[in-house]
């Protein structure tokens, strides 16, 4: 829209989509009462109907005599950012599905050794559901006493950035059956590179 096409027109009534009219009007009304609003997200639509995601700061407009005369809105186009967030969510969902349905037992622990990942295959071979193990101490509660020290060393090494491949140890099912597992223990890090736990992929 050119400047001539919008000057003097009602912003909310003519240029804001129906589902956001009320919330945008509330932000503007607050600013007209002297209240600032920061980081309010809403879509603006271009002349050809394309949505543009906007992050808005709305500030009261004061004239030289101190009289409130309107609102100034400073916006930021965050369309690409929002699209990237949607894509990240989709990828995360795909990875979650991949982990859950993988034909290999996959488990994870946090830095305290508590289970925070337990896929369908891990549940199937141990006969312990995800609900039964999440938040529990993996080594103390689910590893046999004679292997606790060695498994703990492998996990502690991974927590210190030293990964282990092809470590053999037995897991015991809920009914006491012994299952031999070949484990790869990998350090898990957050987006900033900080260690948050360990992911174990078994065979």
């Amino acid at each position: 829209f050119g400047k001539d096409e919008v000057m003097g027109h009602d912003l909310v009534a003519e240029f804001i989509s129906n589902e956001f009219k009320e919330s945008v009007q509330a932000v503007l009304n607050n600013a007209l009462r002297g209240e600032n609003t920061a980081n309010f997200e809403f879509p603006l639509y271009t002349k050809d109907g394309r949505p543009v995601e906007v992050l808005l700061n709305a500030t009261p407009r004061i004239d030289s005599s101190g009289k409130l005369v309107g609102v100034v809105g400073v916006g930021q186009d965050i369309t690409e950012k929002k699209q990237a967030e949607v894509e990240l969510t989709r990828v995360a969902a795909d990875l979650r599905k991949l982990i859950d349905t993988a034909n290999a037992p996959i488990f994870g622990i946090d830095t305290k050794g508590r289970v925070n990942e337990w896929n369908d295959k891990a549940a199937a071979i141990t006969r312990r559901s995800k609900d039964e193990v999440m938040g529990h101490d993996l080594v103390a509660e689910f590893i046999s006493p004679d292997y606790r020290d060695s498994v703990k060393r492998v996990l502690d090494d991974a927590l210190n950035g030293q990964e282990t491949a092809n470590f053999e140890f037995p897991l015991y099912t809920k009914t006491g059956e012994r299952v031999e597992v070949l484990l790869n223990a990998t350090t898990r890090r957050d987006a900033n590179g900080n260690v948050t736990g360990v992911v174990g992929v078994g065979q």
Side-chain angles (χ1 to χ4, degrees):
F1 289 99
K3 189 173 182 178
D4 291 342
E5 295 178 275
V6 299
M7 293 296 283
H9 289 257
D10 188 307
L11 173 67
V12 174
E14 299 183 48
F15 302 111
I16 304 298
S17 61
N18 288 333
E19 68 268 29
F20 279 87
K21 277 183 167 61
E22 186 175 338
S23 56
V24 172
Q25 188 65 63
V27 168
L28 299 179
N29 288 343
N30 287 342
L32 287 170
R33 289 194 295 267
E35 302 173 20
N36 294 329
T37 297
N39 301 329
F40 174 72
E41 292 185 24
F42 72 102
L44 273 177
Y45 286 85
T46 64
K47 193 173 182 177
D48 59 3
R50 181 174 53 87
V52 178
E53 295 290 338
V54 174
L55 188 67
L56 175 71
N57 293 334
T59 306
R61 188 172 193 171
I62 309 295
D63 68 12
S64 57
S65 64
K67 182 182 177 182
L68 181 63
V69 294
V71 178
V72 175
V74 179
Q76 179 183 349
D77 183 351
I78 57 168
T79 306
E80 289 186 6
K81 176 176 176 289
K82 296 292 286 185
Q83 290 171 343
E85 288 174 356
V86 169
E87 179 62 14
L88 281 174
T89 300
R90 185 193 65 76
V91 170
D94 287 348
L95 288 175
R96 164 57 50 202
K97 185 176 180 181
L98 180 64
I99 289 171
D100 285 343
T101 61
N103 193 30
I106 299 174
F107 68 85
I109 60 167
D110 61 18
T111 55
K112 304 290 187 182
R114 295 171 300 208
V115 178
N116 59 11
E117 194 76 66
W118 195 258
N119 78 340
D120 294 346
K121 191 67 174 180
I125 68 169
T126 63
R127 300 181 185 175
R128 298 180 192 274
S129 70
K130 192 171 188 175
D131 290 342
E132 290 179 277
V133 300
M134 292 292 278
H136 289 259
D137 189 305
L138 176 71
V139 173
E141 298 184 49
F142 305 116
I143 305 298
S144 61
D146 49 329
Y147 275 86
R148 279 178 189 154
D149 286 345
S150 57
V151 172
K152 189 173 189 314
R153 270 197 306 274
V154 167
L155 298 178
D156 286 346
D157 284 346
L159 286 171
N160 288 316
Q162 183 180 334
E163 299 177 349
T164 298
N166 300 329
F167 174 72
E168 293 185 32
F169 74 101
L171 267 178
Y172 285 86
T173 69
K174 192 175 182 178
T175 55
E177 298 168 64
R178 178 176 172 132
V179 180
E180 295 293 336
V181 176
L182 191 64
L183 176 71
N184 293 332
T186 304
T187 309
R188 194 174 200 172
R189 300 178 186 273
D190 64 17
N192 297 317
N194 300 313
V195 173
T196 60
V198 177
V199 174
V201 179
Q203 181 182 341

